[in-house]
Amino acid sequence: MLEKIQQLLAEVETLQAHSAEELEALRIKYLSKKGSISALMNDFRSVPAEQKKEVGIKINELKTRAFDKINALRAEFAQTDSADDDIDITRTAYPTPLGTRHPLTIVKNEIVDIFSRLGFSLAEGPEVEDDWHVFGSMNFADDHPARDMQDTFFIEARPDVILRTHTSSVQSRVMEKTQPPIRIICPGRVYRNEAISARAHCFFHQVEGLYVDKEVSFTDLKQVLLLFAREMFGEGTQIRLRPSYFPFTEPSAEMDISCNICGGTGCAFCKHTGWVEILGCGMVDPAVLQLNGIDPTKYKGYAFGMGVERIANLKYQVKDLRMFSENDMRFLREFEAAN
Ligand code: PHE
């Protein structure tokens, strides 16, 4: 019996297989229930008691060796197989070209980010709007010139359906559904019927802000805008508010920041004034609260709206507005690092 085991051990060491079928045949010959090792196990019963221990150990050794050898042959096959497929799994993958974010997206995200840190939450509304949300609910008189054909895109068959001319429509969309406190920041695209040139486009982007609560003051507005300007353009940035007029705010103001291109000393960008206008703002007109279902005797609010292209121009000095919508890869790739 020991001799037989020894012989099988030697045999197992020299096993070779040239195909999967040959390997399977070897497995059956040695390791299956009807294989030679199982046969040995059956004969084990007739081994004299004093030899049982030694024979048992040897059979086990043979079994392990046969098992290992057949597995090793299988592993060799697996490797040869992938080589046959001509795939070199050790090669590095081709680099995937990275896309770039659009500069307006980068700037919009930055604006939204600053205001979210101040507790403003994101709100959005439709670009295709109705006259009520764009003008009526924002306290524009029926004969206000902003409704004029020259500014607003109308849809011929449906005079009530328009492309929004400002994101202030989102103020109304939120107020009609929500009671204060309301603190929202609303980015979006707006449309105006303008001839396309380096300085004007028929669509551009705005970010609107609205805060309505019991105690809201002009000081709060000014403080939030100062903080925004410094986060966006740097610690040393100054702001200046000039009285202005919007139908939906009273009092109203336009805000300038110290020109961050020349640092306020005067350059072509700021037309040598040292200041550049970046947004409109004011205290929400009580009439607007009333029109949108909020009690003006209980609540007050402030609102502001800024042009994203304008802020992007200040940050990146893009001289021609058309660059933002032409999708010229040479221009877009400039912003790879700003992602
Ligand atoms: N909607 C104004 C515009 O488009 C900006 C603005 C928003 C002004 C909110 C005051 C308050 O010019």
Side-chain angles (χ1 to χ4, degrees):
M1 178 102 184
L2 278 171
E3 247 171 64
K4 177 96 185 147
I5 295 172
Q6 213 51 55
Q7 185 202 328
L8 279 172
L9 255 175
E11 231 178 271
V12 161
E13 289 309 322
T14 60
L15 289 185
Q16 280 198 357
H18 302 287
S19 67
E21 291 79 43
E22 276 184 42
L23 185 67
E24 181 59 7
L26 291 177
R27 190 191 67 78
I28 292 169
K29 182 171 175 204
Y30 292 95
L31 295 172
S32 73
K33 271 194 188 137
K34 292 185 180 143
S36 43
I37 296 176
S38 293
L40 278 179
M41 303 272 227
N42 287 336
D43 295 346
F44 187 66
R45 257 175 268 137
S46 54
V47 173
E50 65 277 12
Q51 283 181 26
K52 269 207 156 79
K53 191 176 174 196
E54 193 188 351
V55 173
I57 291 172
K58 277 283 170 200
I59 292 182
N60 268 337
E61 187 190 331
L62 172 64
K63 208 174 152 186
T64 318
R65 285 299 307 140
F67 198 77
D68 288 352
K69 182 74 190 183
I70 284 172
N71 270 347
L73 288 174
R74 184 171 293 135
E76 253 173 54
F77 264 127
Q79 271 181 17
T80 338
D81 275 359
S82 60
D84 285 351
D85 286 340
D86 266 353
I87 295 171
D88 178 358
I89 57 166
T90 63
R91 270 186 72 168
T92 46
Y94 294 108
T96 315
L98 276 185
T100 57
R101 270 192 223 288
H102 193 279
L104 292 178
T105 307
I106 297 171
V107 170
K108 182 230 10 175
N109 286 349
E110 215 173 322
I111 299 169
V112 170
D113 213 55
I114 294 169
F115 285 102
S116 354
R117 276 185 264 135
L118 292 168
F120 286 75
S121 47
L122 197 70
E124 277 170 323
E127 289 174 22
V128 180
E129 259 294 5
D130 50 44
D131 185 88
W132 167 255
H133 288 99
V134 178
F135 298 126
S137 67
M138 286 290 114
N139 199 34
F140 283 72
D142 284 342
D143 56 356
H144 193 282
R147 295 179 188 227
D148 197 288
M149 300 294 271
Q150 274 157 27
D151 279 313
T152 309
F153 283 112
F154 292 86
I155 287 163
E156 236 170 280
R158 296 272 313 270
D160 184 49
V161 180
I162 59 175
L163 295 180
R164 67 179 177 195
T165 57
H166 58 180
T167 43
S168 300
S169 53
V170 187
Q171 287 193 33
S172 167
R173 288 259 165 211
V174 172
M175 283 192 281
E176 70 187 5
K177 287 200 308 273
T178 331
Q179 281 301 304
I182 294 170
R183 188 151 43 184
I184 49 165
I185 191 84
C186 330
R189 179 175 286 179
V190 301
Y191 300 82
R192 286 184 199 177
N193 193 358
E194 304 241 12
I196 298 169
S197 72
R199 317 209 57 194
H201 210 296
C202 60
F203 64 78
F204 57 100
H205 301 79
Q206 290 188 329
V207 177
E208 187 92 5
L210 173 71
Y211 179 33
V212 185
D213 207 340
K214 287 211 168 96
E215 294 298 331
V216 182
S217 69
F218 200 91
T219 316
D220 298 332
L221 171 64
K222 198 172 164 187
Q223 204 56 40
V224 157
L225 293 179
L226 176 64
L227 196 135
F228 163 72
R230 297 204 161 153
E231 285 284 303
M232 195 77 200
F233 299 104
E235 263 311 297
T237 310
Q238 304 291 316
I239 63 166
R240 162 174 106 167
L241 290 168
R242 285 177 290 103
S244 184
Y245 173 79
F246 299 103
F248 35 93
T249 46
E250 183 60 36
S252 306
E254 268 160 331
M255 185 175 98
D256 301 339
I257 60 161
S258 50
C259 178
N260 84 322
I261 293 169
C262 61
T265 53
C267 67
F269 193 87
C270 61
K271 300 201 194 80
H272 302 280
T273 62
W275 296 95
V276 274
E277 183 196 319
I278 64 160
L279 57 82
C281 62
M283 299 307 289
V284 179
D285 193 310
V288 170
L289 295 177
Q290 184 93 59
L291 284 165
N292 289 284
I294 292 173
D295 184 348
T297 61
K298 279 203 205 137
Y299 296 107
K300 288 186 265 190
Y302 66 64
F304 56 86
M306 66 186 90
V308 181
E309 277 81 351
R310 183 127 190 102
I311 310 258
N313 276 346
L314 269 166
K315 279 205 92 114
Y316 301 121
Q317 285 139 62
V318 179
K319 299 227 165 56
D320 189 330
L321 263 185
R322 289 169 290 196
M323 299 288 274
F324 287 124
S325 51
E326 278 170 353
N327 283 337
D328 183 332
M329 291 301 281
R330 291 166 301 180
F331 171 70
L332 297 177
R333 288 238 174 271
E334 298 266 314
F335 300 91
E336 237 157 25
N339 278 320

